[in-house]
Structures are given as structure tokens and as C-alpha cells.
Amino acid sequence: MSQELTIKQKKFILKYFECGNASEAYRYAYSAAKMKDETINNKAYQLVNKDEIRARLKELQAKAEEESKWSVEKIIKAHTRIFEIAIGDVASSHIVTEGTRDGISNTIEVKMRDTNLASAKSALVEIGKILGYYEKDNKQKSGDISLKDFAEDLYNRQMAKKNEES
């Protein structure tokens, strides 16, 4: 039967999850000012290996991973939208009102497609960085990457739309 976590244990868990250092988390959660470093290290080790502490840390890790995935997906979707707009895949609407001499005005909606290849390339590079296709020094990793196929597919769809409109 698992016992409920104490307030100090909860403080320890949150600090440990934040910093990754059990001894630092122990100092934060418990009165350890008069303890030797060796004692703190041992107590922190014992605490981090308790079943209920480990279980809560696993829960926090799983939650953080899930939230991280959502954020990455949202960022990729946003950059994909930027890419589509930049290559003219998405039309932007503009309302234009035109007046005439007799006091009557005409309002029309104009759909415009702009192509900005620099912005498209920038969006793809950002997606590539998020997905880990670049080394720390921003050099592209070698080998085939699915991002290339993604970019080619978007480009081919854009070309097909332009051909249909012609």
C-alpha cells in the first residue's frame, strides 16, 4: 500500500524534477544547513529511490513529455502554415471599396497569392531544426530526411494548383 507524500517530499520531487540534482533538491526541501554533504547525498539518494517518489517522478516526466509533444506539433503546424502562405498555397483576402461619382460605392473581395521563397525556405529550416535535422552548429545532417519529401510534396501541390488555375 503506498503512503501519501508529505509536503517536504512533494517539494523535493518538484525541485528534483526542475534541477535534476537530488542533493540540491534535498537541501531545498529539508532542513539541511547543519548536515555534511555526504549525509545530504545519502539521504537524497535514499529519498529518490523510494517507490512513491519514483512513481511521482515518472508521472511528472510523462506529463512533461506529452506537453512537449503538443508544443512541437503546434510549432510545426504554424511553420507549415507559414510555408504554405509563403509559396502562395494560401490566398489572402482583401476587401476593396471603390467609390463612384454618383455617390454609390462598390465593394469587392480580392484574393491574392504572393510567393515569397525566402520565407518558405526559412519556415522549412525552422521545422528541420525542431525535428532535429540539424546539428548543434546548424549544419544539415547527412542522409535522407522526410522533411525533403515534405517540401517537395508541398511544392508539387502548389505547381499543380497553378496549372489548374491556368
Side-chain angles (χ1 to χ4, degrees), residues 118-132:
S119 294
K121 179 185 176 213
S122 177
L124 288 176
V125 168
E126 290 302 316
I127 292 170
K129 287 178 183 177
I130 292 165
L131 294 175

